[in-house]
C-alpha cells in the first residue's frame, strides 16, 4: 500500500508540475462560476420583480440540480472534456520514454502501478470537488435551511463519474505510446458508453445488458438527490473493469502468452461485470436513499400506504396499438426500459409488480388520417403491412383485431395506448393523456391502485328534465370535468365512476351512488321525480344541486325542503377583462380546510369564475350545518334583480333598480347526521362553473375552477377520492442574497479565484523550472 501511495503522490505532483492541469483547473472554475452567476442573476431578477425573499421553492435544487443551467447538470455536459487531457499520458508517457521498462524491472507490482496512477487522478478529482464545495458553501450563506444532503448527493455523483472517466482514460493510455491517440480513444469510449444504451433495445435480454452498460444519465439521479445501489454498483463495476483491463494490459508486457488467453481474460472480466451489473439492477433488488429534505424522489406516504395494502402480485398490462401513430412509439419494444424507469418508484415498495405488453393493430376512430393518403382503400391488415415494412418490423408480431377483441374491448378507449391494472381479479384502466406530461402522474396511478382495493365512488347525474350532459363536447356540457378519457383531470381518471340516473314511479334514486347531481334542469322537476329526490334526501343521500339565474323556480321548490333558496336576479361584477355577468368569487376559510391545495389558493386569493350566478339564501330550519364555500366581492359586485343588457354600456350599481351590494354566497355546503351517517349537500347558484366552456377559458390571471370542482366531488367521498398527492413546501424558500452580494460572488468566483490559481500555478511552474 505504501508503494501505491508513493506512486500516487509522485504522479499527482507531476500533474501539477504541468501547465495542462492548472489550465484545466482554471477553466473548470471559470465555467462553473459562469453557470453559478447565471442562475443567481435569474433568482435576483425574480426577487426584485416580486419584492419578496420567500417566493421561491426548492432553492437548493434550482441552483445546483434542477435546471439545465444549474451547476451540476451544466457540468455533466462538459465534464468528459477534462479527464482525457490528463489521463492520456499516465501510461503512454512511460511507454514512449522507455521508463516503463524500469517500472517492470523494479520491485513494484503492476497492480500497484495502476492503482497508484488511478489514485493520482482521484486526487485531482477531489480538487475539482473541492472547487464545487466552495459554491455549496456560498449557497449555504444565503439560503437558510439549505438542502445540504441534496448538494452532497450531487457531489458524490460528480465524483463517481470523474473516477469512472479516470479509469477509462487510464486504460486507453495503456494501449498506445501516443498521448493524442490515447486522448482520442478515450473520447471514443465515452461516446460508445453514452450511445450503447440505445442499441438493440427491441431484443429482450440484450436490451437489459446494453442498458446497463450505458453511462448516459447515470449521475443524473444522484444529482437529483436519489442514491440507488444500482447506480453506485454501476460506477464501481465499470471503474473496476477498466482498472482490471489496465492491469491485464501491463501484465501482458511482462509475460508471453497466447493471444486467445489474453483476450479470454478480457472477455471473462467483461462477462463477470456484465452479470454483476445485470443482477444488481434487477427491479425489486435495488436499495434506495432519497437524500432530499422533502423526499421529492419518493412517492408520497399515501401512495406507499396504498401499495402496502396490495398483498398479492399486481399485473400491469400495456395494450399498444401499432396503428395509433401518436402513441405507438411511446410503448414500442425499444421503450421498455423507459417504462420500467417510470414504474421503478412503485416497484421500490412492491417487488411483485409485473409489467406485460400486448401489441396489436386495430382501427383508431379519432384518427381521421388513418384511412387517407397512402392508406386510402386499404384494409387494416394492408395498412399494418405497409407501415411495418417502413419501420422494419414484423407485422405478424401484432395481434389482429379478431384476437385482441377476444381479450379486451378497447373501442371505448379509441384503441389508444392504455394500461390495465389487475389485482385479485379486479381490473381498472390507467391512461395516457393529451398534455405535455403524457404519462400518468402519481395521483392518477394512486387512484387506479385504490380502485383495485376499495369500492370506487359512483356519481349519478339526473337526466330527464334537460339537465347538463356529461357525454357531449358542447360548451354547456360537463364531459371535460367528468369523463373525457384523454384528459388527466377528468374525474374518470381520478378514481370516480359515473352514471346517468332516470327517476320514475318505479325506479327511485339508486342507493349505491355516492352523490346525485342535479345540474340546471330546463323545466320544473315532475312530482314523481321531486318525491323520489326528497325521499333520497330524507334517507341521508348526498346531493349536488347547480342552478342558473332566470331558472331559480326550477329548483327552489326542492331547495325549500332543505332551507335554501336561490335569490332572484343575478350577480353583476365590475371588471376590465371579463363580461360583467362573470363573478370572480373568493374561497372562504371553510373551503380552504378541504385540501392543502385549496388552502394555498385561499392564501393566494385565487378566484373561482362563475359565468352567470345567483346568490344563495339559507336558514338552519332543516337541521343542517351550513357553511359558505364561495363569496362574491362585496366591493366590486352586486345583485341585480332588474333586466339588463350586456352588449351596450358598462353596467354600474343603481340602488333605484333594486341593486344590492354584499358578499353573497354563491356556493354553500350543508351537512347533518342522518341515521348515523354524515349527509353532505352542496348548492351552487351557477351550473357553468364546471362546464366545458368555462374550464377551457383563457383566463386573465389564475383561477382554480378545476381544483375547486374536483374537491366538491371529493367531499362526497369523505376524503377517499381524489387521491391527495400533495407534498409540503420546501424549507429552502428564502433567498437572502442581495444584488451587491451577487456582484461580490461574481467577482470572487469568476475573477479572483481563477486569478489566484493562475498566479499559484505560474509561481509553482517557474520554481520547478529553476530547480
Amino acid at each position: 500500500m505504501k508503494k501505491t501511495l508513493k506512486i500516487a503522490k509522485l504522479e499527482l505532483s507531476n500533474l501539477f508540475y504541468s501547465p495542462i492541469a492548472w489550465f484545466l483547473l482554471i477553466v473548470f472554475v471559470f465555467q462553473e462560476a459562469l453557470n453559478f452567476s447565471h442562475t443567481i442573476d435569474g433568482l435576483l431578477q425574480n426577487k426584485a420583480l416580486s419584492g419578496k425573499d420567500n417566493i421561491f421553492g426548492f432553492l437548493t435544487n434550482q441552483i445546483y440540480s434542477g435546471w439545465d443551467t444549474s451547476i451540476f447538470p451544466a457540468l455533466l455536459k462538459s465534464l468528459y472534456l477534462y479527464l482525457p487531457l490528463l489521463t492520456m499520458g499516465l501510461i503512454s508517457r512511460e511507454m514512449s520514454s522507455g521508463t516503463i521498462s524500469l517500472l517492470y524491472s523494479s520491485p513494484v507490482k503492476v497492480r500497484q502501478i495502476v492503482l497508484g496512477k488511478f489514485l493520482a487522478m482521484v486526487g485531482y478529482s477531489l480538487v475539482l470537488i473541492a472547487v464545487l464545495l466552495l459554491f455549496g458553501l456560498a449557497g449555504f450563506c444565503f439560503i437558510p435551511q439549505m438542502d445540504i444532503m441534496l448538494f452532497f448527493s450531487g457531489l458524490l455523483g460528480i465524483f463517481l463519474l470523474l473516477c469512472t472517466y479516470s479509469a477509462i482514460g487510464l486504460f486507453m493510455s495503456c494501449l498506445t505510446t501516443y498521448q493524442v491517440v490515447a486522448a482520442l480513444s478515450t473520447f471514443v469510449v465515452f461516446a460508445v458508453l453514452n450511445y450503447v444504451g440505445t442499441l438493440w433495445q427491441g431484443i429482450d435480454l440484450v436490451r437489459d445488458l446494453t442498458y446497463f452498460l450505458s453511462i448516459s444519465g447515470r449521475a443524473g439521479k444522484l444529482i437529483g438527490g436519489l442514491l440507488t445501489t444500482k447506480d453506485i454498483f454501476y460506477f464501481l463495476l465499470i471503474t473496476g473493469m477498466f482498472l482490471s483491463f489496465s492491469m491485464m494490459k501491463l501484465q501482458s508486457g511482462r509475460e508471453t502468452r497466447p493471444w486467445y488467453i489474453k483476450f479470454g481474460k478480457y472477455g471473462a472480466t467483461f462477462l463477470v461485470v456484465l452479470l454483476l451489473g445485470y443482477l444488481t439492477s434487477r427491479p425489486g433488488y435495488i436499495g434506495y436513499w432519497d437524500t432530499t429534505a422533502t423526499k421529492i424522489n419518493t412517492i408520497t406516504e399515501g401512495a406507499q400506504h396504498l401499495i402496502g395494502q396490495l398483498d398479492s402480485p399486481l399485473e400491469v398490462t400495456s395494450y399498444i396499438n401499432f396503428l395509433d401513430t401518436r402513441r405507438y412509439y411511446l410503448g414500442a419494444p425499444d421503450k421498455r426500459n423507459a417504462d420500467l424507469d417510470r414504474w421503478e418508484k412503485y416497484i421500490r415498495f412492491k417487488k411483485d409488480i409485473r409489467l406485460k405488453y400486448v401489441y396489436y393493430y386495430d382501427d383508431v376512430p379519432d384518427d381521421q388520417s388513418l384511412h387517407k393518403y397512402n392508406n386510402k382503400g386499404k384494409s387494416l391488415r394492408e395498412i399494418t403491412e405497409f407501415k411495418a415494412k417502413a419501420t422494419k418490423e414484423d407485422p405478424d408480431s401484432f395481434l389482429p383485431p379478431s384476437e385482441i377483441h377476444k381479450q379486451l374491448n378497447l373501442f371505448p378507449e379509441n384503441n389508444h395506448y392504455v394500461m390495465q391494472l389487475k389485482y385479485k381479479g379486479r381490473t381498472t384502466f390507467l391512461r395516457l393523456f393529451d398534455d405535455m406530461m403524457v404519462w400518468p402522474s402519481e395521483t392518477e396511478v394512486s387512484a387506479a391502485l385504490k380502485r383495485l382495493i376499495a369500492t370506487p365512488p359512483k356519481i349519478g347525474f339526473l337526466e330527464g328534465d334537460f339537465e347538463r350532459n356529461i357525454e357531449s363536447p358542447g360548451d354547456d356540457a360537463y364531459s371535460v370535468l367528468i369523463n373525457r378519457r384523454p384528459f388527466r383531470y377528468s374525474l374518470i381518471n381520478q378514481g370516480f365512476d359515473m352514471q346517468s340516473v332516470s327517476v320514475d314511479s318505479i325506479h327511485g334514486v339508486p342507493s349505491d351512488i355516492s352523490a346525485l347531481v342535479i345540474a340546471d334542469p330546463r323545466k320544473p322537476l315532475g312530482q314523481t321525480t321531486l318525491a323520489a329526490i326528497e325521499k333520497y334526501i330524507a334517507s341521508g343521500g348526498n346531493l349536488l344541486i347547480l342552478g342558473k339565474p332566470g331558472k331559480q323556480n326550477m329548483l327552489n321548490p326542492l331547495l325549500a325542503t332543505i332551507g335554501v333558496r336561490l335569490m332572484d336576479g343575478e350577480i353583476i361584477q365590475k371588471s376590465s377583462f371579463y363580461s360583467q355577468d362573470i363573478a370572480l368569487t373568493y374561497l372562504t376559510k371553510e373551503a380552504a380546510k378541504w385540501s392543502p391545495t385549496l388552502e394555498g389558493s385561499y392564501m393566494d386569493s385565487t378566484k373561482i369564475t362563475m359565468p352567470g350566478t345567483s346568490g344563495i339564501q339559507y336558514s338552519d330550519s332543516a337541521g343542517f350545518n351550513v357553511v359558505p364555500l364561495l363569496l362574491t366581492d362585496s366591493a366590486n359586485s352586486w345583485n341585480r334583480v332588474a333586466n339588463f343588457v350586456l352588449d351596450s354600456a358598462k353596467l354600474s350599481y343603481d340602488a333605484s333598480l333594486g341593486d344590492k351590494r354584499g358578499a353573497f354566497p354563491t356556493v354553500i355546503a350543508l351537512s347533518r347526521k342522518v341515521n348515523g351517517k354524515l349527509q353532505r349537500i352542496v348548492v351552487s347558484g351557477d351550473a357553468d362553473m364546471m362546464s366545458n366552456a368555462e374550464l377551457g377559458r383563457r383566463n386573465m390571471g389564475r383561477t382554480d375552477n378545476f381544483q375547486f370542482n374536483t374537491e366538491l366531488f371529493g367531499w362526497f367521498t369523505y376524503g377517499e377520492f381524489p387521491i391527495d398527492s400533495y407534498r409540503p413546501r420546501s424549507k429552502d424558500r428564502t433567498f437572502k442574497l442581495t444584488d451587491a452580494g451577487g456582484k461580490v460572488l461574481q467577482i470572487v468566483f469568476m475573477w479572483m479565484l481563477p486569478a489566484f490559481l493562475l498566479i499559484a500555478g505560474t509561481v509553482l511552474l517557474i520554481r520547478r523550472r529553476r530547480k
Side-chain angles (χ1 to χ4, degrees):
M1 188 64 183
K2 290 183 179 180
K3 292 181 180 178
T4 301
L5 293 176
K6 190 173 183 179
I7 294 173
K9 181 179 179 181
L10 179 62
E11 188 63 38
L12 189 60
S13 64
N14 287 337
L15 277 176
F16 281 100
Y17 284 142
S18 67
I20 187 66
W22 288 99
F23 174 75
L24 291 177
L25 181 59
I26 293 170
V27 172
F28 180 84
V29 171
F30 184 81
Q31 180 187 15
E32 292 312 295
L34 197 63
N35 292 330
F36 185 71
S37 298
H38 178 76
T39 303
I40 293 300
D41 286 344
L43 294 173
L44 285 172
Q45 289 178 15
N46 290 338
K47 178 181 177 180
L49 290 172
S50 67
K52 299 179 181 179
D53 290 342
N54 59 348
I55 64 166
F56 306 96
F58 300 99
L59 264 176
T60 310
N61 187 56
Q62 290 189 49
I63 296 174
Y64 299 102
S65 304
W67 297 344
D68 288 341
T69 55
S70 299
I71 287 185
F72 294 150
L75 177 58
L76 289 181
K77 298 176 183 179
S78 58
L79 192 62
Y80 70 95
L81 297 172
Y82 292 90
L83 275 299
L85 301 179
L86 295 172
T87 60
M88 64 182 183
L90 289 177
I91 300 297
S92 60
R93 183 177 61 248
E94 308 283 359
M95 295 170 64
S96 62
S97 64
T99 54
I100 191 68
S101 300
L102 296 177
L103 288 174
Y104 284 158
S105 61
S106 65
V108 180
K109 297 179 180 179
V110 168
R111 171 172 53 82
Q112 294 171 330
I113 297 173
V114 172
L115 292 180
K117 300 277 189 180
F118 175 70
L119 287 178
M121 290 305 303
V122 171
Y124 189 85
S125 298
L126 288 174
V127 173
L128 300 182
I129 294 299
V131 171
L132 294 176
L133 198 58
L134 293 177
F135 291 99
L137 182 61
F140 182 77
C141 294
F142 60 77
I143 305 176
Q145 296 183 299
M146 174 180 171
D147 196 345
I148 297 176
M149 292 307 299
L150 169 61
F151 175 76
F152 279 107
S153 176
L155 281 185
L156 177 62
I158 297 296
F159 176 70
L160 290 174
L161 189 59
L162 284 169
C163 291
T164 303
Y165 282 169
S166 298
I168 296 171
L170 177 60
F171 174 60
M172 293 297 107
S173 183
C174 295
L175 299 180
T176 177
T177 58
Y178 299 101
Q179 296 187 28
V180 175
V181 174
L184 293 176
S185 300
T186 304
F187 285 125
V188 171
V189 174
F190 290 170
V192 170
L193 288 178
N194 271 283
Y195 180 70
V196 70
T198 64
L199 298 176
W200 306 300
Q201 290 298 291
I203 306 173
D204 288 342
L205 179 61
V206 181
R207 175 194 305 120
D208 295 330
L209 298 178
T210 56
Y211 196 69
F212 160 73
L213 287 174
S214 175
I215 201 171
S216 176
R218 286 289 178 176
K221 287 184 179 179
L222 282 87
I223 287 175
L226 182 63
L227 272 65
T228 68
T229 55
K230 176 178 67 173
D231 293 329
I232 299 296
F233 273 117
Y234 172 82
F235 287 116
L236 295 179
L237 288 171
I238 297 299
T239 299
M241 181 179 73
F242 279 98
L243 289 178
S244 299
F245 287 172
S246 299
M247 295 177 192
M248 294 175 195
K249 179 63 177 70
L250 293 182
Q251 188 64 34
S252 66
R254 305 180 72 172
E255 56 188 21
T256 303
R257 289 193 178 185
W259 66 269
Y260 53 85
I261 293 181
K262 296 179 181 179
F263 280 97
K265 288 183 177 180
Y266 287 110
T269 302
F270 178 74
L271 290 177
V272 168
V273 169
L274 210 57
L275 177 61
L276 291 175
Y278 178 81
L279 295 176
T280 56
S281 62
R282 289 300 80 204
Y285 301 95
I286 302 172
Y288 299 86
W289 180 23
D290 189 349
T291 64
T292 59
T294 54
K295 307 302 177 188
I296 58 176
N297 299 303
T298 305
I299 58 176
T300 59
E301 291 183 1
Q304 293 178 40
H305 178 70
L306 282 174
I307 290 180
Q309 296 181 60
L310 302 176
D311 55 7
S312 294
L314 173 67
E315 184 179 289
V316 181
T317 304
S318 296
Y319 290 90
I320 305 164
N321 186 358
F322 182 57
L323 299 183
D324 185 8
T325 306
R326 293 176 54 200
R327 297 170 182 83
Y328 171 72
Y329 76 95
L330 296 172
D334 60 351
K335 299 295 191 300
R336 296 274 186 88
N337 278 314
D339 193 44
L340 181 60
D341 286 344
R342 282 186 291 271
W343 282 98
E344 184 179 5
K345 56 186 176 182
Y346 303 99
I347 297 175
R348 172 182 173 182
F349 296 97
K350 183 172 178 58
K351 296 179 174 60
D352 54 355
I353 295 180
R354 301 168 183 171
L355 303 182
K356 296 183 178 181
Y357 302 87
V358 175
Y359 295 93
Y360 69 99
Y361 69 88
D362 203 350
D363 197 12
V364 184
D366 60 348
D367 184 359
Q368 299 179 357
S369 64
L370 180 60
H371 296 281
K372 294 181 178 180
Y373 312 114
N374 291 333
N375 298 333
K376 191 172 183 179
K378 293 181 180 179
S379 66
L380 291 175
R381 177 65 185 183
E382 291 171 333
I383 296 174
T384 300
E385 291 175 345
F386 177 77
K387 183 178 178 182
K389 182 178 180 180
T391 58
K392 299 180 181 179
E393 297 182 74
D394 181 8
D396 294 328
S397 64
F398 303 99
L399 295 179
S402 59
E403 292 297 322
I404 193 63
H405 293 168
K406 293 178 183 178
Q407 294 188 25
L408 201 63
N409 178 21
L410 294 171
F411 190 80
E413 304 291 332
N414 282 323
N415 291 324
H416 289 168
Y417 181 169
V418 295
M419 291 165 275
Q420 185 190 58
L421 277 59
K422 186 176 183 180
Y423 172 75
K424 289 185 176 181
R426 299 183 67 172
T427 62
T428 191
F429 280 131
L430 189 59
R431 302 173 178 87
L432 276 62
F433 304 110
D434 292 340
D435 55 27
M436 294 292 290
M437 192 186 303
V438 178
W439 299 100
S441 69
E442 181 183 325
T443 302
E444 289 77 54
V445 174
S446 297
L449 292 176
K450 193 163 186 177
R451 286 174 60 88
L452 297 175
I453 58 179
T455 302
K458 186 183 296 183
I459 306 297
F461 285 80
L462 186 68
E463 64 177 8
D465 294 300
F466 303 102
E467 291 86 359
R468 299 297 177 98
N469 193 292
I470 62 173
E471 301 287 346
S472 169
D475 285 352
D476 65 347
Y478 288 169
S479 61
V480 171
L481 177 67
I482 303 304
N483 62 4
R484 181 170 292 181
R485 287 174 171 80
F487 184 63
R488 180 182 307 277
Y489 303 105
S490 278
L491 295 181
I492 195 174
N493 294 315
Q494 300 299 317
F496 292 81
D497 283 338
M498 308 296 164
Q499 74 174 67
S500 297
V501 174
S502 296
V503 177
D504 53 36
S505 58
I506 300 176
H507 303 96
V509 180
S511 60
D512 63 340
I513 62 174
S514 300
L516 176 67
V517 180
I518 305 175
D520 185 25
R522 265 65 165 184
K523 66 177 185 177
L525 300 175
Q527 290 301 317
T528 302
T529 301
L530 194 60
I533 296 174
E534 289 176 355
K535 181 180 179 181
Y536 172 76
I537 295 174
S539 66
N542 297 333
L543 195 64
L544 172 59
I545 304 175
L546 304 108
K548 284 298 291 183
K551 290 181 282 186
Q552 290 93 331
N553 61 325
M554 307 294 179
L555 291 171
N556 275 339
L558 174 63
L559 292 174
T561 63
I562 58 174
V564 177
R565 177 178 176 273
L566 296 180
M567 296 170 55
D568 294 334
E570 183 173 349
I571 301 297
I572 303 298
Q573 179 153 351
K574 181 181 178 181
S575 175
S576 301
F577 302 108
Y578 293 98
S579 173
Q580 286 189 266
D581 62 339
I582 299 179
L584 304 180
T585 59
Y586 291 90
L587 291 162
T588 64
K589 289 183 179 180
E590 289 76 14
K593 297 175 183 177
W594 280 16
S595 74
T597 304
L598 287 186
E599 182 181 8
S601 299
Y602 170 76
M603 297 300 294
D604 295 337
S605 299
T606 306
K607 303 175 184 66
I608 310 297
T609 55
M610 304 188 75
T613 182
S614 301
I616 299 175
Q617 295 175 331
Y618 57 88
S619 66
D620 59 358
S621 59
F624 286 96
N625 177 41
V626 185
V627 295
L629 299 179
L630 296 180
L631 294 174
T632 60
D633 182 356
S634 59
N636 294 303
S637 62
W638 60 93
N639 186 62
R640 170 160 292 185
V641 179
N643 294 330
F644 59 88
V645 179
L646 289 172
D647 58 359
S648 57
K650 286 283 186 180
L651 300 177
S652 58
Y653 176 77
D654 189 344
S656 64
L657 296 176
D659 292 354
K660 292 184 179 180
R661 290 191 183 275
F664 299 105
T666 55
V667 178
I668 61 173
L670 304 89
S671 60
R672 68 178 177 181
K673 280 288 187 69
V674 178
N675 299 325
K677 174 194 172 185
L678 183 62
Q679 182 183 32
R680 291 177 168 178
I681 298 176
V682 172
V683 179
S684 171
D686 173 37
D688 282 319
M689 68 175 183
M690 57 179 67
S691 68
N692 296 342
E694 190 58 28
L695 297 181
R697 178 189 296 277
R698 297 290 182 181
N699 293 302
M700 300 294 294
R702 180 170 171 257
T703 61
D704 244 349
N705 283 49
F706 256 119
Q707 189 62 43
F708 178 72
N709 291 327
T710 302
E711 295 297 340
L712 275 185
F713 286 97
W715 194 57
F716 297 124
T717 72
Y718 305 94
E720 292 297 315
F721 290 88
I723 300 301
D724 182 12
S725 297
Y726 179 81
R727 293 178 182 272
R729 293 185 176 186
S730 65
K731 295 181 179 179
D732 53 341
R733 297 178 54 81
T734 306
F735 189 60
K736 290 295 186 181
L737 190 66
T738 62
D739 288 339
K743 291 179 180 179
V744 170
L745 287 178
Q746 187 176 30
I747 293 172
V748 170
F749 285 120
M750 288 188 65
W751 308 111
M752 292 181 65
L753 185 55
F756 171 78
L757 293 174
L758 179 62
I759 294 171
T762 302
V763 170
L764 184 64
L765 293 174
I766 292 175
R767 291 183 62 185
R768 172 72 171 174
R769 180 177 293 275
R770 287 179 178 176
K771 290 182 178 180

